[in-house]
Amino acid sequence: MPGIAIFSSSRAALRRRFRAWFENRLSLSDQVELTQRTVYILPTRPGLMLALTLLTLLIASINYQLNLGYLLTFLLAGCALVGMHVCHGTLRGLAMNLIAPHAHYAGALATIDVKLVNKRNSVRYGIGLSVLNPPEQASKRKAEAHWVWTDVPAEGSSTVQVAFAPPRRGLHRLPTLTAETRFPLGTFRVWTVWRPAAQILVYPAPETHPPGLPAGEPRAGGSAAAARSQTSGEFDGVRGYRRGDPVKLVVWKKAAKSDGQSAQEDGGLIVRDTQQAQRHELWLDYKQASALDAEQKLSRLCAWILMADKLQLQYGLRLPLREIKPASGEAHKRQCLEALALC
């Protein structure tokens, strides 16, 4: 048993080294057109069984001098050869274009959009795309790989989405992709390997149940009366709805999940406190997330950014080596999340 374990581990290591060597030979590109040099073909298990069956039929026909046996053997062999040619031609000449990926949060599945372009005047059937599995999962390829299958119309295109899980936050190169087909008979497997050059930005995963936003800091030059108030965990620039407050100050994004009239009556609406907002400004500081490790602090800051953006507040971000001044809007939110991802 120890010998078998050593053999299995050495085999897996050899497979990893071969895969790394093979992938390093491939050029990085977001657009690729498959040619005869980049498309590979091998018989499948049903194909090997068909070959064994044809060999048995041929030996029996020779032994018993069966003319009908010869006819059946060569007819089946001709069908297999035609199927091999059609299978190889299904991928050969196909163009694959990568659509720029969007940023995602760590722990969530990210998607890669790939556009398949068919320039010939016949349909390409049964084309599958997937992320190339690591060698240690090769024996579980069918169980682990997530394949997406499509048909590409004649002189047309088809877009597919391939999912994968980014390992952690930061800027990562997209994983190696593979495309294959077994059309029409399933006796041959034709595949290719593609290394996209694009990268994907992965934000920290937002904390599931974060505390409320920190209290606002007095603006520079403000009065001493504008000291930080100890509220119930919400930024001083917002407060609960009071009878007589202007409707234009209501944070409708916050109220969208509640029933408008009933929320007004029970105080469930949130409004902007303009006087407090003029005296205070919201800073999301790395040091405010105390008693947490570095990744947990970034997750809490991510949750605070999403919370402040949902409330349409102006907020700033302080990191150990970077400071982003208070602002609001989608562009500001993306700038802050990008800073967290690359921190």
Side-chain angles (χ1 to χ4, degrees):
M1 296 300 291
I4 297 177
I6 294 175
F7 175 75
S8 299
S9 60
S10 61
R11 182 182 177 185
L14 182 61
R15 189 180 298 168
R16 282 193 298 269
R17 292 178 60 183
F18 175 77
R19 180 195 171 200
W21 170 82
F22 176 75
E23 289 189 16
N24 289 334
R25 294 179 65 249
L26 302 175
S27 59
L28 297 172
S29 176
D30 290 337
Q31 297 180 352
V32 62
E33 184 171 354
L34 303 180
T35 63
Q36 189 137 357
R37 297 181 57 125
T38 56
V39 174
Y40 313 100
I41 182 170
L42 280 177
T44 60
R45 291 184 179 180
L48 294 176
M49 290 299 299
L50 176 61
L52 181 61
T53 302
L54 292 177
L55 180 62
T56 303
L57 285 174
L58 180 61
I59 294 176
S61 300
I62 294 174
N63 187 42
Y64 294 103
Q65 295 294 314
L66 298 176
N67 293 332
L68 290 178
Y70 286 122
L71 178 63
L72 177 62
T73 300
F74 292 119
L75 179 62
L76 292 177
C79 292
L81 290 177
V82 171
M84 179 182 67
H85 176 75
V86 173
C87 189
H88 191 269
T90 301
L91 278 191
R92 189 179 67 249
L94 182 70
M96 298 191 297
N97 303 324
L98 181 73
I99 301 175
H102 300 288
H104 284 75
Y105 294 95
L109 283 179
T111 57
I112 306 173
D113 293 336
V114 180
K115 184 178 182 181
L116 306 179
V117 180
N118 180 16
K119 298 180 181 179
R120 73 184 189 186
N121 57 0
S122 58
V123 183
R124 299 176 186 264
Y125 294 99
I127 298 177
L129 271 81
S130 174
V131 174
L132 188 65
N133 283 332
E136 56 270 16
Q137 295 180 357
S139 60
K140 304 177 182 179
R141 185 176 63 87
K142 288 300 178 186
E144 300 290 342
H146 177 70
W147 288 89
V148 181
W149 299 91
T150 185
D151 299 331
V152 187
E155 298 181 350
S157 62
S158 176
T159 302
V160 296
Q161 289 186 333
V162 182
F164 76 103
R168 57 190 179 279
R169 67 174 179 88
L171 189 63
H172 302 282
R173 192 175 300 282
L174 291 180
T176 304
L177 303 178
T178 179
E180 78 166 44
T181 183
R182 304 190 182 195
F183 177 83
L185 300 178
T187 53
F188 288 91
R189 173 177 175 254
V190 178
W191 80 97
T192 187
V193 180
W194 176 28
R195 292 183 67 197
Q199 295 178 316
I200 186 172
L201 187 64
V202 182
Y203 300 143
E207 190 175 1
T208 307
H209 301 290
L213 292 173
E217 298 181 5
R219 293 180 181 271
S223 61
R228 182 181 307 178
S229 30
Q230 301 299 326
T231 62
S232 60
E234 290 185 337
F235 173 53
D236 295 336
V238 294
R239 58 174 173 79
Y241 177 83
R242 300 171 188 166
R243 187 177 298 277
D245 285 336
V247 178
K248 66 180 181 180
L249 296 180
V250 176
V251 184
W252 291 110
K253 286 187 177 181
K254 184 72 173 177
K257 297 181 180 180
S258 61
D259 186 8
Q261 185 61 32
S262 62
Q264 275 194 7
E265 294 174 354
D266 62 12
L269 292 180
I270 299 295
V271 298
R272 298 183 187 86
D273 191 339
T274 55
Q275 295 181 353
Q276 290 288 346
Q278 290 174 1
R279 298 195 304 263
H280 293 72
E281 56 186 4
L282 176 59
W283 280 96
L284 307 178
D285 198 327
Y286 181 84
K287 298 179 181 178
Q288 290 173 335
S290 57
L292 298 172
D293 61 29
E295 292 301 324
Q296 291 176 335
K297 288 183 178 181
L298 295 178
S299 295
R300 177 163 296 180
L301 288 175
C302 180
W304 279 348
I305 289 173
L306 298 178
M307 190 184 305
D309 179 74
K310 187 176 181 180
L311 294 173
Q312 298 180 345
L313 301 176
Q314 288 194 350
Y315 56 93
L317 179 65
R318 289 196 186 110
L319 296 175
L321 298 178
R322 187 176 179 184
E323 180 175 299
I324 300 176
K325 295 182 179 180
S328 61
E330 184 67 22
H332 180 67
K333 182 185 75 171
R334 291 184 181 180
Q335 183 184 15
C336 294
L337 292 176
E338 181 179 347
L340 293 182
L342 302 178
C343 179

